[in-house]
Amino acid sequence: MRVIIEPDYASMSKWAANYVANRIKAANPTKENPFKLGCPTGSSPLGLYQELINKYKAGEISFQNVITFNMDEYVNLSEEHPESYHSFMWTNFFSYIDIKADNVHILNGNSKDLVRECEDYEKAIMDAGGIDLFMGGIGPDGHLAFNEPGSSLASKTRIKTLTTDTIHANSRFFDGNLSLVPKQALTVGIGTVMEAREVLLVCNGHKKARALKHCIDGNISHKWTSSMLQMHPRAIVVCDEAACDELSVGTYKYYLDKERGNL
Ligand code: GLP
């Protein structure tokens, strides 16, 4: 695992956006051979999305030949709801870049057959040739997408019931009203993310310090599902200083020294 420690949220977002843009450019995607990008929601990637929008506007990158697969979506929340992940993606990213609507894939949490919806999503990822780069955030309880504590580390796309922790954390998007937060979601599995050729997580703020510690400094555990990335051959976690508050001194220094070329 590669860990990048940046001073603050702005530089973390810039680093991550540069990396993503460079990977897309290096792949030289075409209509026949597009780049497959996995997309998260949440507040953590907002800066990364804004930086990618800036790069598009500056003519540095195009998304014409990029196919996206989002990580997750709430169950039983209309797509038009401002807090649906469909709305989130168009409001914060897709509307400002040259992506083709047909190339956007987001799970349908209102499907009549949710099991089938999840199976079809996995198939669509496979048919597209797999995900080249899965971007992600980390929940305060260490979850990746909506793979809550206790999720199978081999899981594929499926329905998950949200934990009380997550319902509390996400109530900030629903006027602080717990009863308005959907209780279930469709989510790619940890196994789905592990099959991506590369994974890049962004993690910022003191509120994520425990999650980051368990992700990179702890044992692999289904109680902290992002820790499974320790098994991924090409995983990068980009974080800010505040998120490092609970890392061991040795881990913190090692990753800083490594990136500064002191090791
Ligand atoms: C939600 C999403 C996750 C995201 C997490 C953290 O639960 N399903 O994919 O990583 O929130 O959100 P934030 O970045 O707002 O802290």
Side-chain angles (χ1 to χ4, degrees):
M1 186 185 279
R2 189 173 172 199
V3 178
I4 310 293
I5 301 170
E6 287 291 319
D8 52 32
Y9 180 72
S11 53
M12 175 197 84
S13 303
K14 275 204 167 75
W15 196 100
N18 278 337
Y19 189 86
V20 173
N22 287 339
R23 296 309 288 166
I24 294 173
K25 281 191 276 188
N28 201 13
T30 58
K31 192 164 178 266
E32 293 68 37
N33 190 17
F35 190 89
K36 284 85 65 184
L37 184 66
C39 294
T41 54
S43 48
S44 312
L46 283 173
L48 158 61
Y49 286 145
Q50 188 55 55
E51 291 292 338
L52 288 174
I53 293 167
N54 295 346
K55 285 179 183 299
Y56 163 69
K57 288 190 172 154
E60 287 174 37
I61 186 174
S62 165
F63 294 86
Q64 284 263 344
N65 294 314
V66 173
I67 295 186
T68 61
F69 286 91
N70 257 79
M71 287 191 138
D72 44 17
E73 178 57 289
Y74 291 114
V75 166
N76 267 336
L77 189 69
S78 91
E79 283 181 13
E80 290 71 39
H81 190 287
E83 294 306 334
S84 79
Y85 288 169
H86 280 76
S87 295
F88 176 99
M89 290 308 295
W90 286 97
T91 306
N92 294 300
F93 190 36
F94 295 150
S95 299
Y96 306 99
I97 57 173
D98 60 345
I99 194 153
K100 295 177 186 136
D102 284 351
N103 284 348
V104 169
H105 299 83
I106 306 179
L107 282 151
N108 176 8
N110 295 291
S111 166
K112 287 206 168 58
D113 187 344
L114 293 174
V115 173
R116 177 84 189 271
E117 171 69 18
C118 294
E119 286 168 2
D120 288 351
Y121 204 68
E122 282 289 333
K123 190 168 177 306
I125 293 174
M126 291 251 286
D127 290 349
I131 289 174
D132 293 306
L133 173 59
F134 225 133
M135 306 183 289
I138 306 182
D141 61 2
H143 71 232
L144 181 55
F146 267 130
N147 292 286
E148 298 284 36
S151 292
S152 159
L153 297 179
S155 51
K156 293 298 179 73
T157 305
R158 69 215 183 289
I159 309 165
K160 279 303 287 184
T161 298
L162 307 188
T163 60
T164 305
D165 274 352
T166 297
I167 291 168
H168 274 271
N170 289 5
S171 66
R172 70 199 143 118
F173 301 117
F174 294 87
D175 298 329
N177 186 340
L178 296 181
S179 68
L180 296 180
V181 185
K183 305 296 178 288
Q184 288 190 313
L186 303 186
T187 178
V188 296
I190 293 294
T192 318
V193 178
M194 289 296 288
E195 281 173 1
R197 288 172 196 97
E198 278 190 273
V199 182
L200 175 129
L201 298 192
V202 285
C203 181
N204 64 285
H206 178 76
K207 62 184 183 305
K208 299 289 173 69
R210 262 184 88 202
L212 186 68
K213 174 179 94 169
H214 285 280
C215 176
I216 68 178
D217 218 1
N219 301 323
I220 296 172
S221 163
H222 69 159
K223 298 310 266 182
W224 298 89
T225 56
S226 53
S227 64
M228 187 58 182
L229 288 184
Q230 293 172 28
M231 295 290 288
H232 197 287
R234 287 181 70 94
I236 304 178
V237 178
V238 197
C239 54
D240 68 357
E241 282 283 346
C244 296
D245 284 355
E246 293 204 29
L247 294 185
S248 69
V249 174
T251 299
Y252 174 77
K253 287 175 74 173
Y254 173 72
Y255 285 121
L256 271 186
D257 281 345
K258 211 159 95 134
E259 291 301 327
R260 284 176 185 155
N262 295 337
L263 289 178

